[in-house]
Amino acid sequence: MKRREFLIAAGASAAFPAFAQTSWTETLAAAKGKPVFFNAWGGDERTNDFIAWTAARVRAEYGIDLRHVRLRDTAEAVQRVIAEKAAGRDGGGSVDLIWINGPNFLAMKEQRLHYGPFVERLPNFRYVDIEGKPSNVVDFTVPVDGYAAPWRLAQIVYVYDSARLSKPPRSMAAMLEWAKGNPGRLTHPTARNFLGATFLKQALYELTPDRALLAAAPTDANYDAAVAPLWAWYDALRPNMWRRGAQFPESGPAQRTLMNDGEIDLMISFNPAEAAVSIANNLLPATARATGLEGGTIANTSFVSIPYNAANPAAAMVVADFLLSGEAQARMNDPRHLGNPTVLDIDRLPPAQKKFFGDVPPVPGMPSAAELGRALPEPHPGWMTRLAADWEKRVLH
Protein backbone atom coordinates (compact mmCIF):
# COMPACT_ATOMS: atom_id res chain seq x y z
CA MET A 1 0.00 0.00 0.00
CA LYS A 2 1.31 3.43 -0.95
CA ARG A 3 1.87 5.91 1.91
CA ARG A 4 -1.00 8.21 0.85
CA GLU A 5 -3.37 5.32 0.54
CA PHE A 6 -2.32 4.13 4.00
CA LEU A 7 -3.05 7.54 5.47
CA ILE A 8 -6.49 7.67 3.87
CA ALA A 9 -7.27 4.17 5.05
CA ALA A 10 -6.22 5.15 8.57
CA GLY A 11 -8.74 7.99 8.34
CA ALA A 12 -11.56 5.48 8.16
CA SER A 13 -11.00 4.90 11.85
CA ALA A 14 -11.23 8.67 12.51
CA ALA A 15 -7.59 8.91 13.63
CA PHE A 16 -4.54 9.94 11.65
CA PRO A 17 -1.51 9.33 13.82
CA ALA A 18 0.97 9.34 10.95
CA PHE A 19 -0.52 12.33 9.14
CA ALA A 20 -0.99 14.21 12.41
CA GLN A 21 2.77 14.13 12.91
CA THR A 22 3.54 15.88 9.64
CA SER A 23 4.45 19.55 9.80
CA TRP A 24 2.34 22.31 8.30
CA THR A 25 5.13 22.87 5.78
CA GLU A 26 4.71 19.27 4.63
CA THR A 27 0.95 19.78 4.47
CA LEU A 28 1.43 22.81 2.23
CA ALA A 29 3.74 20.81 -0.01
CA ALA A 30 1.22 17.96 -0.25
CA ALA A 31 -1.54 20.46 -1.08
CA LYS A 32 0.20 22.23 -3.94
CA GLY A 33 -1.33 21.58 -7.35
CA LYS A 34 -4.22 19.55 -5.95
CA PRO A 35 -7.92 20.13 -6.69
CA VAL A 36 -10.36 20.63 -3.82
CA PHE A 37 -14.01 19.91 -4.57
CA PHE A 38 -15.76 22.23 -2.12
CA ASN A 39 -19.38 21.09 -1.77
CA ALA A 40 -21.31 24.11 -0.57
CA TRP A 41 -24.85 25.40 -0.82
CA GLY A 42 -25.04 27.49 -3.98
CA GLY A 43 -28.26 29.37 -3.41
CA ASP A 44 -26.79 32.74 -2.50
CA GLU A 45 -24.80 34.70 -5.08
CA ARG A 46 -22.90 36.69 -2.46
CA THR A 47 -21.61 33.47 -0.91
CA ASN A 48 -20.87 32.08 -4.37
CA ASP A 49 -18.87 35.23 -5.13
CA PHE A 50 -16.96 34.86 -1.87
CA ILE A 51 -16.08 31.25 -2.66
CA ALA A 52 -14.95 32.32 -6.15
CA TRP A 53 -12.73 34.97 -4.54
CA THR A 54 -11.36 32.30 -2.15
CA ALA A 55 -10.59 30.05 -5.12
CA ALA A 56 -8.57 32.82 -6.75
CA ARG A 57 -6.64 33.53 -3.54
CA VAL A 58 -5.75 29.90 -2.70
CA ARG A 59 -4.70 29.34 -6.32
CA ALA A 60 -2.38 32.35 -6.15
CA GLU A 61 -1.10 31.65 -2.64
CA TYR A 62 -0.92 27.86 -2.48
CA GLY A 63 -1.39 26.53 -6.04
CA ILE A 64 -4.69 24.84 -5.03
CA ASP A 65 -7.46 24.40 -7.61
CA LEU A 66 -10.62 25.07 -5.54
CA ARG A 67 -13.80 24.06 -7.36
CA HIS A 68 -17.20 24.99 -5.98
CA VAL A 69 -19.73 22.15 -6.27
CA ARG A 70 -22.99 24.06 -5.85
CA LEU A 71 -25.52 22.15 -3.76
CA ARG A 72 -29.23 22.68 -3.33
CA ASP A 73 -29.04 20.78 -0.06
CA THR A 74 -25.99 19.77 2.00
CA ALA A 75 -27.49 16.30 2.38
CA GLU A 76 -26.61 15.73 -1.30
CA ALA A 77 -22.88 15.68 -0.42
CA VAL A 78 -23.43 13.64 2.73
CA GLN A 79 -25.39 11.00 0.81
CA ARG A 80 -22.60 10.83 -1.75
CA VAL A 81 -20.03 10.10 0.98
CA ILE A 82 -22.33 7.49 2.50
CA ALA A 83 -22.80 5.85 -0.90
CA GLU A 84 -19.06 5.79 -1.49
CA LYS A 85 -18.46 4.15 1.87
CA ALA A 86 -21.12 1.54 1.10
CA ALA A 87 -19.33 0.87 -2.18
CA GLY A 88 -15.98 0.44 -0.40
CA ARG A 89 -14.50 3.66 -1.80
CA ASP A 90 -12.46 4.52 1.29
CA GLY A 91 -10.01 6.74 -0.60
CA GLY A 92 -10.08 9.08 -3.57
CA GLY A 93 -13.59 10.25 -2.72
CA SER A 94 -15.47 12.80 -4.81
CA VAL A 95 -15.90 15.29 -1.94
CA ASP A 96 -12.92 17.09 -0.38
CA LEU A 97 -14.60 19.78 1.70
CA ILE A 98 -18.22 20.32 2.82
CA TRP A 99 -19.97 23.39 4.20
CA ILE A 100 -21.80 21.48 6.90
CA ASN A 101 -23.92 22.08 9.96
CA GLY A 102 -26.48 20.59 12.27
CA PRO A 103 -28.07 17.27 11.41
CA ASN A 104 -25.67 16.65 8.52
CA PHE A 105 -22.62 17.12 10.73
CA LEU A 106 -24.14 14.92 13.39
CA ALA A 107 -25.05 12.20 10.87
CA MET A 108 -21.49 12.06 9.54
CA LYS A 109 -20.04 12.13 13.05
CA GLU A 110 -22.21 9.26 14.22
CA GLN A 111 -21.14 7.21 11.18
CA ARG A 112 -17.47 8.17 11.60
CA LEU A 113 -17.34 9.76 8.18
CA HIS A 114 -15.33 12.84 9.12
CA TYR A 115 -11.60 13.17 8.51
CA GLY A 116 -9.56 14.12 11.53
CA PRO A 117 -9.58 15.52 14.08
CA PHE A 118 -7.66 18.14 12.11
CA VAL A 119 -8.79 21.58 13.32
CA GLU A 120 -6.09 22.21 15.91
CA ARG A 121 -3.46 21.57 13.24
CA LEU A 122 -4.62 24.68 11.35
CA PRO A 123 -2.21 27.54 12.14
CA ASN A 124 -4.99 30.16 12.19
CA PHE A 125 -7.18 28.21 14.60
CA ARG A 126 -5.18 29.73 17.49
CA TYR A 127 -6.97 33.05 16.77
CA VAL A 128 -10.50 31.63 16.89
CA ASP A 129 -12.61 33.11 19.71
CA ILE A 130 -13.75 30.09 21.70
CA GLU A 131 -14.63 31.76 25.00
CA GLY A 132 -16.62 34.71 23.67
CA LYS A 133 -18.19 32.72 20.82
CA PRO A 134 -18.66 29.19 22.16
CA SER A 135 -20.60 28.14 19.06
CA ASN A 136 -17.22 28.01 17.28
CA VAL A 137 -16.63 24.59 18.80
CA VAL A 138 -20.22 23.38 19.25
CA ASP A 139 -22.51 22.72 16.31
CA PHE A 140 -26.20 22.68 17.29
CA THR A 141 -25.27 21.43 20.80
CA VAL A 142 -22.94 18.77 19.31
CA PRO A 143 -19.22 19.28 20.11
CA VAL A 144 -17.25 19.31 16.86
CA ASP A 145 -14.25 17.68 18.58
CA GLY A 146 -11.87 18.95 15.90
CA TYR A 147 -13.75 17.39 12.98
CA ALA A 148 -15.03 20.69 11.55
CA ALA A 149 -13.48 24.15 11.28
CA PRO A 150 -15.51 27.31 11.89
CA TRP A 151 -15.62 29.90 9.11
CA ARG A 152 -18.60 32.26 9.49
CA LEU A 153 -20.99 33.39 12.20
CA ALA A 154 -24.69 33.99 11.84
CA GLN A 155 -27.59 35.18 14.00
CA ILE A 156 -31.27 35.40 13.22
CA VAL A 157 -32.71 38.79 12.39
CA TYR A 158 -36.05 39.90 10.99
CA VAL A 159 -35.71 42.20 8.01
CA TYR A 160 -38.45 44.74 7.45
CA ASP A 161 -39.22 47.64 5.18
CA SER A 162 -39.25 50.69 7.43
CA ALA A 163 -41.20 52.63 4.81
CA ARG A 164 -44.24 50.46 5.54
CA LEU A 165 -43.44 49.04 8.97
CA SER A 166 -42.04 51.58 11.42
CA LYS A 167 -42.17 49.40 14.54
CA PRO A 168 -41.47 45.74 13.79
CA PRO A 169 -42.74 43.02 16.16
CA ARG A 170 -40.06 41.83 18.59
CA SER A 171 -41.70 38.71 20.00
CA MET A 172 -43.70 35.80 18.61
CA ALA A 173 -46.88 37.06 20.25
CA ALA A 174 -46.37 40.49 18.72
CA MET A 175 -45.63 38.94 15.33
CA LEU A 176 -48.95 37.11 15.38
CA GLU A 177 -50.89 40.24 16.30
CA TRP A 178 -49.10 42.26 13.61
CA ALA A 179 -49.81 39.57 10.98
CA LYS A 180 -53.52 39.56 11.89
CA GLY A 181 -53.61 43.30 11.30
CA ASN A 182 -51.52 43.09 8.13
CA PRO A 183 -52.53 39.86 6.38
CA GLY A 184 -50.34 38.60 3.55
CA ARG A 185 -47.28 40.69 4.47
CA LEU A 186 -45.18 37.96 6.13
CA THR A 187 -43.76 34.65 4.90
CA HIS A 188 -40.83 32.31 5.40
CA PRO A 189 -39.05 29.82 3.11
CA THR A 190 -40.35 26.27 2.94
CA ALA A 191 -39.19 24.22 5.95
CA ARG A 192 -37.30 21.99 3.51
CA ASN A 193 -34.89 24.92 3.39
CA PHE A 194 -32.73 25.50 6.47
CA LEU A 195 -34.02 29.06 6.82
CA GLY A 196 -37.63 27.91 6.85
CA ALA A 197 -36.83 25.32 9.51
CA THR A 198 -35.04 28.05 11.44
CA PHE A 199 -38.21 30.17 11.44
CA LEU A 200 -39.90 27.31 13.29
CA LYS A 201 -36.97 26.73 15.67
CA GLN A 202 -36.91 30.39 16.70
CA ALA A 203 -40.62 30.29 17.45
CA LEU A 204 -40.16 27.05 19.37
CA TYR A 205 -37.43 28.67 21.47
CA GLU A 206 -39.77 31.41 22.66
CA LEU A 207 -42.97 29.39 22.98
CA THR A 208 -41.95 26.03 24.42
CA PRO A 209 -42.76 25.68 28.14
CA ASP A 210 -39.35 24.16 29.03
CA ARG A 211 -36.52 25.62 26.95
CA ALA A 212 -33.95 23.45 28.74
CA LEU A 213 -35.26 20.41 26.84
CA LEU A 214 -33.88 21.86 23.60
CA ALA A 215 -30.28 21.19 24.64
CA ALA A 216 -30.76 17.45 24.10
CA ALA A 217 -32.40 15.35 21.41
CA PRO A 218 -36.21 15.23 21.62
CA THR A 219 -37.81 12.04 22.84
CA ASP A 220 -41.20 10.54 22.14
CA ALA A 221 -42.04 11.31 25.76
CA ASN A 222 -41.30 15.06 25.65
CA TYR A 223 -41.70 16.09 22.02
CA ASP A 224 -45.46 16.60 21.68
CA ALA A 225 -45.82 18.73 24.81
CA ALA A 226 -42.78 20.81 23.90
CA VAL A 227 -44.01 21.71 20.39
CA ALA A 228 -47.76 22.05 21.09
CA PRO A 229 -47.59 25.84 21.81
CA LEU A 230 -45.55 26.34 18.64
CA TRP A 231 -48.13 24.66 16.39
CA ALA A 232 -51.00 26.49 18.10
CA TRP A 233 -49.21 29.77 17.34
CA TYR A 234 -48.41 28.70 13.79
CA ASP A 235 -51.95 27.56 13.03
CA ALA A 236 -53.17 31.03 14.01
CA LEU A 237 -50.42 32.75 12.03
CA ARG A 238 -50.56 30.77 8.81
CA PRO A 239 -53.87 32.05 7.37
CA ASN A 240 -52.47 35.58 7.74
CA MET A 241 -49.27 34.84 5.85
CA TRP A 242 -48.42 35.55 2.22
CA ARG A 243 -50.91 33.78 -0.04
CA ARG A 244 -52.75 32.64 3.09
CA GLY A 245 -49.93 30.24 3.91
CA ALA A 246 -50.74 28.02 0.94
CA GLN A 247 -47.43 28.73 -0.79
CA PHE A 248 -43.93 29.40 0.46
CA PRO A 249 -40.75 30.65 -1.27
CA GLU A 250 -38.13 27.98 -1.89
CA SER A 251 -35.19 29.86 -0.36
CA GLY A 252 -33.98 32.96 1.45
CA PRO A 253 -33.13 34.78 -1.82
CA ALA A 254 -36.61 33.98 -3.19
CA GLN A 255 -38.11 35.41 0.01
CA ARG A 256 -35.94 38.53 -0.39
CA THR A 257 -37.25 39.01 -3.93
CA LEU A 258 -40.80 39.13 -2.54
CA MET A 259 -39.79 41.92 -0.19
CA ASN A 260 -37.98 43.81 -2.94
CA ASP A 261 -41.09 43.55 -5.09
CA GLY A 262 -43.19 44.97 -2.25
CA GLU A 263 -45.20 41.79 -1.71
CA ILE A 264 -44.16 41.36 1.92
CA ASP A 265 -42.94 43.68 4.69
CA LEU A 266 -41.24 41.25 7.09
CA MET A 267 -38.95 38.24 6.56
CA ILE A 268 -36.45 36.14 8.47
CA SER A 269 -32.70 36.05 7.76
CA PHE A 270 -29.73 34.33 9.40
CA ASN A 271 -27.40 37.17 8.47
CA PRO A 272 -27.37 40.36 10.59
CA ALA A 273 -26.07 42.21 7.52
CA GLU A 274 -28.87 40.96 5.24
CA ALA A 275 -30.50 44.37 4.91
CA ALA A 276 -27.23 46.30 4.64
CA VAL A 277 -25.69 44.01 2.03
CA SER A 278 -28.92 43.78 0.05
CA ILE A 279 -29.30 47.57 -0.03
CA ALA A 280 -25.72 47.90 -1.26
CA ASN A 281 -26.43 45.39 -4.03
CA ASN A 282 -29.83 46.83 -5.00
CA LEU A 283 -31.58 43.68 -3.81
CA LEU A 284 -33.73 45.48 -1.23
CA PRO A 285 -35.03 49.05 -0.99
CA ALA A 286 -32.91 51.61 0.89
CA THR A 287 -35.55 51.63 3.62
CA ALA A 288 -34.84 47.97 4.60
CA ARG A 289 -33.73 47.46 8.20
CA ALA A 290 -33.05 44.47 10.51
CA THR A 291 -33.84 43.70 14.12
CA GLY A 292 -33.62 40.87 16.63
CA LEU A 293 -36.20 39.92 19.25
CA GLU A 294 -36.54 41.10 22.85
CA GLY A 295 -35.68 37.67 24.23
CA GLY A 296 -32.77 37.09 21.85
CA THR A 297 -32.40 35.06 18.68
CA ILE A 298 -30.63 31.86 17.71
CA ALA A 299 -27.00 32.21 16.63
CA ASN A 300 -24.64 29.66 15.20
CA THR A 301 -21.34 29.13 13.50
CA SER A 302 -20.96 27.62 10.04
CA PHE A 303 -18.33 24.91 9.67
CA VAL A 304 -16.39 23.09 6.97
CA SER A 305 -15.49 19.43 7.35
CA ILE A 306 -13.44 16.95 5.35
CA PRO A 307 -14.89 13.51 4.56
CA TYR A 308 -12.88 10.52 5.76
CA ASN A 309 -12.27 9.45 2.14
CA ALA A 310 -11.40 12.85 0.66
CA ALA A 311 -9.03 12.58 -2.27
CA ASN A 312 -6.97 15.58 -1.17
CA PRO A 313 -7.32 16.14 2.58
CA ALA A 314 -4.11 18.18 2.86
CA ALA A 315 -5.34 20.70 0.27
CA ALA A 316 -8.75 20.79 1.97
CA MET A 317 -7.03 21.61 5.28
CA VAL A 318 -5.13 24.48 3.66
CA VAL A 319 -8.41 25.91 2.32
CA ALA A 320 -10.02 25.55 5.77
CA ASP A 321 -7.05 27.42 7.27
CA PHE A 322 -7.28 30.17 4.65
CA LEU A 323 -10.95 30.68 5.56
CA LEU A 324 -9.74 31.42 9.12
CA SER A 325 -7.15 33.97 7.97
CA GLY A 326 -7.51 37.65 8.81
CA GLU A 327 -7.75 38.40 5.09
CA ALA A 328 -10.68 36.01 4.47
CA GLN A 329 -12.46 36.86 7.73
CA ALA A 330 -12.18 40.60 7.12
CA ARG A 331 -13.69 40.22 3.65
CA MET A 332 -16.48 38.08 5.12
CA ASN A 333 -17.06 40.74 7.79
CA ASP A 334 -17.30 43.58 5.28
CA PRO A 335 -21.01 44.37 4.58
CA ARG A 336 -20.09 45.06 0.97
CA HIS A 337 -19.46 41.32 0.63
CA LEU A 338 -21.09 39.02 3.22
CA GLY A 339 -21.31 41.08 6.42
CA ASN A 340 -20.91 38.08 8.76
CA PRO A 341 -19.44 38.64 12.24
CA THR A 342 -15.94 37.14 12.39
CA VAL A 343 -15.19 33.89 14.22
CA LEU A 344 -11.83 35.32 15.29
CA ASP A 345 -10.75 37.24 18.37
CA ILE A 346 -9.45 40.26 16.48
CA ASP A 347 -7.51 41.53 19.51
CA ARG A 348 -5.31 38.43 19.40
CA LEU A 349 -4.43 38.73 15.73
CA PRO A 350 -0.89 39.69 14.78
CA PRO A 351 -0.67 43.13 13.10
CA ALA A 352 -0.22 41.62 9.65
CA GLN A 353 -3.63 39.93 9.91
CA LYS A 354 -5.42 42.60 11.96
CA LYS A 355 -4.73 45.22 9.28
CA PHE A 356 -7.26 43.57 6.94
CA PHE A 357 -10.17 44.54 9.14
CA GLY A 358 -9.42 48.27 9.11
CA ASP A 359 -12.22 50.71 9.68
CA VAL A 360 -15.54 49.77 8.10
CA PRO A 361 -17.70 52.87 7.52
CA PRO A 362 -21.30 52.91 8.87
CA VAL A 363 -23.64 51.12 6.49
CA PRO A 364 -27.43 51.73 6.28
CA GLY A 365 -29.41 48.70 7.40
CA MET A 366 -26.88 47.24 9.89
CA PRO A 367 -28.57 46.58 13.27
CA SER A 368 -26.89 47.92 16.39
CA ALA A 369 -25.84 45.50 19.12
CA ALA A 370 -28.94 46.51 21.11
CA GLU A 371 -31.22 45.89 18.12
CA LEU A 372 -29.58 42.54 17.42
CA GLY A 373 -30.00 41.38 21.01
CA ARG A 374 -28.79 38.33 22.87
CA ALA A 375 -27.42 35.32 20.99
CA LEU A 376 -29.18 32.06 21.91
CA PRO A 377 -27.68 28.60 21.39
CA GLU A 378 -29.04 26.31 18.68
CA PRO A 379 -31.43 23.55 19.78
CA HIS A 380 -30.21 19.98 19.33
CA PRO A 381 -30.49 19.08 15.60
CA GLY A 382 -33.09 16.43 16.41
CA TRP A 383 -35.64 19.20 16.99
CA MET A 384 -35.04 20.70 13.56
CA THR A 385 -35.42 17.33 11.87
CA ARG A 386 -38.73 16.56 13.55
CA LEU A 387 -40.11 20.09 13.15
CA ALA A 388 -39.38 20.09 9.41
CA ALA A 389 -41.03 16.68 9.01
CA ASP A 390 -44.08 17.82 11.00
CA TRP A 391 -44.37 20.99 8.93
CA GLU A 392 -44.44 18.96 5.72
CA LYS A 393 -47.25 16.78 7.06
CA ARG A 394 -49.28 19.77 8.24
CA VAL A 395 -48.77 22.08 5.27
CA LEU A 396 -48.08 20.00 2.19
CA HIS A 397 -50.56 17.17 2.68
Side-chain angles (χ1 to χ4, degrees), residues 251-277:
S251 65
Q255 176 194 230
R256 186 177 58 220
T257 298
L258 293 177
M259 174 166 279
N260 199 38
D261 291 344
E263 290 199 48
I264 61 173
D265 297 329
L266 183 66
M267 69 177 205
I268 190 172
S269 173
F270 223 140
N271 184 354
E274 173 80 37
V277 174

Side-chain angles (χ1 to χ4, degrees), residues 315-369:
M317 287 175 61
V318 173
V319 173
D321 188 63
F322 177 78
L323 291 172
L324 290 176
S325 67
E327 180 183 5
Q329 288 289 313
R331 189 177 181 88
M332 230 180 291
N333 183 240
D334 190 331
R336 292 170 296 184
H337 300 290
L338 292 178
N340 287 112
T342 180
V343 300
L344 303 178
D345 181 346
I346 297 176
D347 291 339
R348 287 197 286 121
L349 288 176
Q353 293 212 46
K354 187 182 292 187
K355 70 176 184 181
F356 289 109
F357 285 88
D359 294 323
V360 178
V363 177
M366 279 296 291
S368 66

